[in-house]
Amino acid sequence: MNRTLGLTLAASLLGTVALAQDKTVTIASWGGSYQEAQSKALFEPAAANTGIEVKQETYGGMSDVRLQVSTGAVSLDIVASGSGSAARAGAEGLLEPLDYSVIDVSSFYPTLKSEYCVGGDVFSTVYAWNTATYGDAGPQSWADFFDTTKFPGKRAYRNKVAGALEPALMADGVAPEDVYSVLDSEEGIERAIDKIRELKPNIDVFWSSGAQHAQLMKDGEVDMTTGWNGRFDNAAKDGGKVKYSFNQALLDYDCFAIPKGAPNKDTAMEFLAEISKAEYQDDLPKYITYGPTNKAAYSTGEISAEVAAGLPSSPENAAMQLPVSLEWYAKWETIADEMYQEMLTE
């Protein structure tokens, strides 16, 4: 009888392990130091703790999700996304609504989640400069970034509209608090694009990824660029001569979403619940200088006061920045990007 009971227990345990091992999620992110940080802080530890097998891919953003959903061939379970792109994709019907009875966001900053996307990190779109060119006296505003007389040199700028128009309007004299009201029309969008059009002869590269803009600075191929603060910090750690400022930066967040028709939707929801916990998010700044969206991560003792002071979401840094408007992106991104792409092909 004891032997039978032992065999039954062993079979039960093996069945539980097998069940956990049967759970799989495929996660797509943007590669480079960013995905490496996500993997080390979030994906790998959560996989070990839950038994869920994680397959990682890199992808090109919501355009890839749109293609998969439209063809009915969805292979991705979770995707990393910019908050604005996720807002637009959710409005298009490309994403599954998230179940916040499963994903606990009770200790999240209230603006860092939405119906279709749960925040994974807080970052800033900044202007960065090559210290070999300008020393420490680089640009301190978007007006400086666009001033090719005061700061001659090669620029790089994003090849998508997200994070591209707001700096141009601030450089054109619009106060940060008025940026989105000016952009709330095709005329305002065209005004921003015209400002970028003026700078275009000095833009050597329109970058398409964080890995690319970080590499541009590491290699000294351009003298200044727009981009994401954590990528530049990692480039500097790797020997790149790069500095940036949070003044007039765009305060934003990345999030995780589930594509409509994801093959492992329930497991994806379970995995998002796991990586949203403070004990994972407090490790992210060890690998890249992005802030946690779960404010409880600041209370675990893993993030020192010194590290917190260098994160985009610290009170001092956040006060200098323009929070990105998800409402504007949901309403205007499709039209604005069409106009922006036309400018790029001129």
Side-chain angles (χ1 to χ4, degrees):
M1 184 175 176
N2 286 341
R3 182 172 180 273
T4 302
L5 181 61
L7 288 171
T8 302
L9 285 171
S12 176
L13 287 170
L14 285 171
T16 302
V17 171
L19 186 63
Q21 289 176 341
D22 283 346
K23 290 186 175 182
T24 301
V25 290
T26 300
I27 303 176
S29 189
W30 298 307
S33 59
Y34 178 70
Q35 188 163 348
E36 183 180 354
Q38 289 179 314
S39 185
K40 290 179 177 178
L42 307 175
F43 304 155
E44 293 173 16
N49 290 338
T50 63
I52 295 171
E53 181 186 359
V54 175
K55 299 176 182 178
Q56 293 190 52
E57 297 182 9
T58 58
Y59 85 137
M62 284 297 173
S63 58
D64 291 359
V65 173
R66 187 175 294 107
L67 178 62
Q68 289 197 4
V69 173
S70 66
T71 58
V74 180
S75 63
L76 302 175
D77 298 304
I78 296 172
V79 294
S81 175
S83 57
S85 296
R88 178 165 60 102
E92 285 182 41
L94 301 178
L95 304 176
E96 297 281 357
L98 298 183
D99 186 350
Y100 287 112
S101 69
V102 175
I103 305 168
D104 181 6
V105 291
S106 59
S107 55
F108 268 50
Y109 290 99
T111 58
L112 303 183
K113 62 179 177 61
S114 69
E115 182 180 1
Y116 297 100
C117 213
V118 61
D121 62 80
V122 181
F123 72 97
S124 298
T125 298
V126 300
Y127 44 86
W129 68 89
N130 188 329
T131 57
T133 306
Y134 307 111
D136 291 337
Q140 294 301 309
S141 67
W142 289 113
D144 283 350
F145 183 91
F146 278 73
D147 190 339
T148 57
T149 301
K150 185 178 178 182
F151 293 98
K154 299 176 180 178
R155 267 73 165 169
Y157 212 81
R158 193 172 189 186
N159 73 346
K160 293 182 180 178
V161 79
L165 302 186
E166 300 95 330
L169 282 186
M170 284 187 272
D172 204 37
V174 177
E177 61 269 22
D178 296 328
V179 162
Y180 286 111
S181 60
V182 173
L183 284 176
D184 196 25
S185 68
E186 288 195 24
E187 292 76 17
I189 293 168
E190 191 62 36
R191 176 180 172 181
I193 290 173
D194 281 342
K195 188 67 177 177
I196 300 167
R197 190 177 277 117
E198 291 176 15
L199 185 66
K200 195 176 177 184
N202 296 93
I203 300 175
D204 274 39
V205 179
F206 281 94
W207 56 265
S208 60
S209 70
Q212 183 185 10
H213 73 57
Q215 196 65 43
L216 287 170
M217 295 306 287
K218 281 174 65 176
D219 295 344
E221 289 189 32
V222 295
D223 299 297
M224 61 177 75
T225 183
T226 62
W228 303 314
N229 70 289
R231 297 281 193 160
F232 295 131
D233 284 328
N234 281 358
K237 288 178 185 176
D238 290 342
K241 298 184 181 302
V242 55
K243 283 196 170 184
Y244 62 85
S245 171
F246 282 117
N247 187 46
Q248 295 187 334
L250 307 182
L251 187 62
D252 201 351
Y253 71 97
D254 289 316
C255 55
F256 295 110
I258 300 175
K260 193 78 172 178
N264 300 293
K265 173 186 166 183
D266 291 342
T267 304
M269 210 77 70
E270 179 185 340
F271 197 76
L272 289 183
E274 188 72 12
I275 62 175
S276 295
K277 294 177 180 177
E279 60 259 37
Y280 299 100
Q281 288 212 358
D282 62 7
D283 283 335
L284 195 63
K286 296 176 183 178
Y287 305 107
I288 195 163
T289 48
Y290 293 153
T293 51
N294 188 335
K295 60 187 175 184
Y298 284 106
S299 304
T300 64
E302 288 293 316
I303 302 175
S304 68
E306 181 182 4
V307 170
L311 298 178
S313 53
S314 73
E316 182 179 341
N317 293 332
M320 294 189 284
Q321 302 180 63
L322 171 64
V324 165
S325 169
L326 299 191
E327 293 78 14
W328 183 86
Y329 278 93
K331 180 179 179 181
W332 284 105
E333 187 177 17
T334 300
I335 294 170
D337 199 50
E338 288 174 1
M339 296 168 66
Y340 191 69
Q341 296 306 317
E342 286 179 14
M343 180 272 294
L344 292 183
T345 58
E346 290 172 356

